[in-house]
Amino acid sequence: MNNKRNIVATIKAQYGAATLFASLMLVILSSIAGIYASRSVLFEQKDSNNQYWATQANEVAQSGIEHAIAWLKFQYSSSGSGVAWVAPNSYCSQLDDRCNCPTGFTNARCFDMSNQSGVSVSNYTLKVALANDIIRSPNIAVIESRATNTSDNASATVTQKIYLFALGAAGSGLQGHGKNPPLVINGCTSDIKGNPVACPRNATGSPCEDQCDCSDGTCTGLCTCTGSCPGSCSGNAICQGFGTCETCSCNDGTGVGTAINSLRITDTNSDGSLSQSEIDACLDPGHLDIHDGQTTGTPVPPGTECNPDTAWTAIFGTMTKDQVKKISDAQLAAGLSQSSTPKRSVYWIDSGSNWHDDLGTAVEPAILIFSATSCSSSCPKVNGSPTIYGTVYFDSQCDETKMNGWGGAEIHGSVVVESDLAHITANGRIHYNPNTRSAFPNAPTPATVGGTGNNIQRISGSWKDF
């Protein structure tokens, strides 16, 4: 009997221990579940807080963009003073503390407007920087706004591209793609003296035998081959990368190209076209050796008065003189020059002093403009034997008496004269150069914002946050 009682007592004790163990395990599991539930709530709270601070940081950064646009609209209005762009050593480097360039900009003038009134936001450090590439996109600026919360470590960066002012498109060129002949005039030529030379496309014979020639991707002569050139360069040519030979003069089977193109030849019989006799009556090369090049022109009815901007429109298209002058001023203010990297590409000259300096290269041609102010009494002479790559424009305002003989000069590109022409370089040369187009700034669709002529407009699709 005692043995039975002991067995029953033992079994009851074991049941009690099992119940106690199960209860303890339930308590432990419940505690673990409670801890994980608390951690989940904590993580959700943190995630919610992170989302809140991230959204706030993004909104603060966006406020910097909005302030910058409003500020720029005022600065480029008639009441503003403009932007004091900073370009130490010609161009700012990426994230340079001296000018705080936006991320990724290594070739731009910049401006740090972080200290402008209205930019600061409580509990945030807000840096707003502007960048403007005055060589490739002079009328486009990038705004970068970086907001950092000083206590919660939240940050956001927003960028926006804008038009600084509307800029028209460059002219298509008399031969397309800016490949203009050596001499473009708003009138006629007569009594040219000395021994000047105009080397048109595909010209041969001294001193034109060094002209660039391109056929089926092979460049020969003094030219630069860029892009996806499938062939090779020979002679004095230079091959760079995988190019298209677009900078080479391509022999298209039409023979020697145009040496002189007049934008105003009288159509004496009013038939709407020009006979060779009408062209010859206007374009007398005199002592100008055009190396078998063509003389071509645009017919105008008898008695048509000279429009002093005809040549400008043919070369510069819808770009206004004021716009091009502003590009020149911006490049000068940024410290760009013939010896800088990159080189200055636009020179607007108001001085009446003669020009003696080399300008541009085969790869980086330039635009040299002698304005109406420069030509007020007589246009400057280009003398002292300079070598110029690019387009040289004289705003002689339909008055041939403003044009003077130059003296020696070698120009690889086009000379454009806004009048008749009787004087030219006495012993100089003008070589056809198909690469002159690359000196013209890229121009987007003109802005259409009301207010002033210097429009500010967002570029659609350029907003980014990260």
Side-chain angles (χ1 to χ4, degrees):
M1 293 293 293
N2 289 332
N3 288 336
K4 290 182 178 180
R5 290 194 191 98
N6 289 336
I7 292 171
V8 171
T10 300
I11 292 173
K12 288 182 177 180
Q14 289 176 345
Y15 282 151
T19 302
L20 178 61
F21 177 78
S23 299
L24 288 174
M25 290 301 297
L26 288 173
V27 170
I28 292 172
L29 291 174
S30 298
S31 299
I32 293 173
I35 291 172
Y36 274 100
S38 298
R39 289 186 64 184
S40 178
V41 171
L42 180 62
F43 279 129
E44 288 181 1
Q45 288 177 337
K46 287 186 176 182
D47 184 63
S48 177
N49 285 338
N50 288 341
Q51 181 66 29
Y52 169 78
W53 290 116
T55 300
Q56 189 176 77
N58 187 277
E59 291 177 350
V60 172
Q62 183 61 40
S63 74
I65 297 289
E66 299 301 323
H67 179 85
I69 292 175
W71 182 80
L72 281 167
K73 285 185 176 181
F74 174 76
Q75 296 305 319
Y76 282 96
S77 70
S78 58
S79 303
S81 57
V83 178
W85 298 99
V86 179
N89 299 323
S90 295
Y91 268 13
C92 287
S93 61
Q94 182 176 337
L95 297 178
D96 192 320
D97 290 338
R98 292 169 294 180
C99 58
N100 191 26
C101 274
T103 304
F105 274 81
T106 57
N107 289 324
R109 59 177 183 160
C110 303
F111 180 73
D112 183 354
M113 60 175 297
S114 302
N115 295 324
Q116 297 294 319
S117 60
V119 171
S120 61
V121 178
S122 298
N123 300 321
Y124 273 88
T125 299
L126 183 58
K127 288 186 172 293
V128 182
L130 311 177
N132 173 222
D133 188 329
I134 56 177
I135 292 291
R136 298 172 183 85
S137 303
N139 54 325
I140 294 178
V142 174
I143 307 171
E144 180 182 84
S145 178
R146 292 180 286 175
T148 304
N149 186 279
T150 54
S151 59
D152 293 280
N153 297 321
S155 64
T157 300
V158 176
T159 63
Q160 175 74 59
K161 291 183 180 180
I162 59 169
Y163 295 128
L164 284 180
F165 53 84
L167 184 65
S172 61
L174 301 174
Q175 296 185 32
H177 307 294
K179 299 176 181 179
N180 297 306
L183 191 57
V184 180
I185 59 175
N186 185 10
C188 300
T189 61
S190 62
D191 198 29
I192 295 178
K193 294 181 171 58
N195 297 295
V197 174
C199 296
R201 176 175 49 90
N202 301 327
T204 58
S206 178
C208 299
E209 70 273 2
D210 60 356
Q211 287 294 91
C212 176
D213 181 74
C214 174
S215 179
D216 297 326
T218 300
C219 295
T220 305
L222 290 174
C223 52
T224 302
C225 195
T226 59
S228 57
C229 186
S232 61
C233 288
S234 60
N236 293 318
I238 303 170
C239 255
Q240 295 179 336
F242 298 95
T244 60
C245 276
E246 184 62 28
T247 57
C248 295
S249 170
C250 292
N251 188 342
D252 54 12
T254 59
V256 179
T258 300
I260 310 174
N261 183 280
S262 170
L263 302 168
R264 186 170 55 89
I265 297 180
T266 302
D267 179 13
T268 55
N269 59 7
S270 300
D271 66 352
S273 62
L274 293 176
S275 65
Q276 192 59 50
S277 61
E278 288 172 324
I279 294 174
D280 292 343
C282 176
L283 298 179
D284 176 14
H287 289 190
L288 174 64
D289 187 350
I290 61 174
H291 281 257
D292 298 320
Q294 302 170 24
T295 53
T296 60
T298 302
V300 297
T304 301
E305 294 186 4
C306 177
N307 181 337
D309 289 327
T310 298
W312 176 276
T313 302
I315 302 299
F316 294 94
T318 60
M319 288 193 295
T320 68
K321 293 178 180 179
D322 181 62
Q323 289 169 342
V324 176
K325 184 178 187 302
K326 285 180 178 177
I327 295 173
S328 172
D329 292 343
Q331 292 185 3
L332 177 63
L336 299 187
S337 67
Q338 174 67 7
S339 59
S340 64
T341 302
K343 297 182 185 299
R344 184 178 172 185
S345 62
V346 181
Y347 292 77
W348 181 279
I349 307 299
D350 284 330
S351 169
S353 300
N354 293 337
W355 185 273
H356 314 297
D357 299 333
D358 294 343
L359 202 62
T361 67
V363 180
E364 295 181 276
I367 299 171
L368 176 60
I369 298 171
F370 294 103
S371 69
T373 301
S374 174
C375 293
S376 57
S377 57
S378 63
C379 295
K381 298 179 180 180
V382 179
N383 56 19
S385 301
T387 299
I388 297 174
Y389 288 86
T391 302
V392 183
Y393 172 84
F394 290 90
D395 197 351
S396 48
Q397 309 154 68
C398 292
D399 185 353
E400 66 174 291
T401 64
K402 294 179 182 291
M403 293 300 298
N404 300 297
W406 297 351
E410 184 171 321
I411 297 172
H412 295 265
S414 295
V415 173
V416 184
V417 179
E418 203 72 81
S419 67
D420 294 332
L421 183 65
H423 303 286
I424 200 169
T425 57
N427 298 299
R429 302 200 299 260
I430 308 173
H431 292 260
Y432 168 78
N433 182 357
N435 197 34
T436 55
R437 176 79 173 190
S438 63
F440 289 78
N442 295 325
T445 303
T448 55
V449 178
T452 70
N454 297 318
N455 296 318
I456 300 294
Q457 179 178 334
R458 300 169 194 262
I459 298 178
S460 300
S462 66
W463 184 91
K464 292 193 303 182
D465 66 334
F466 50 92

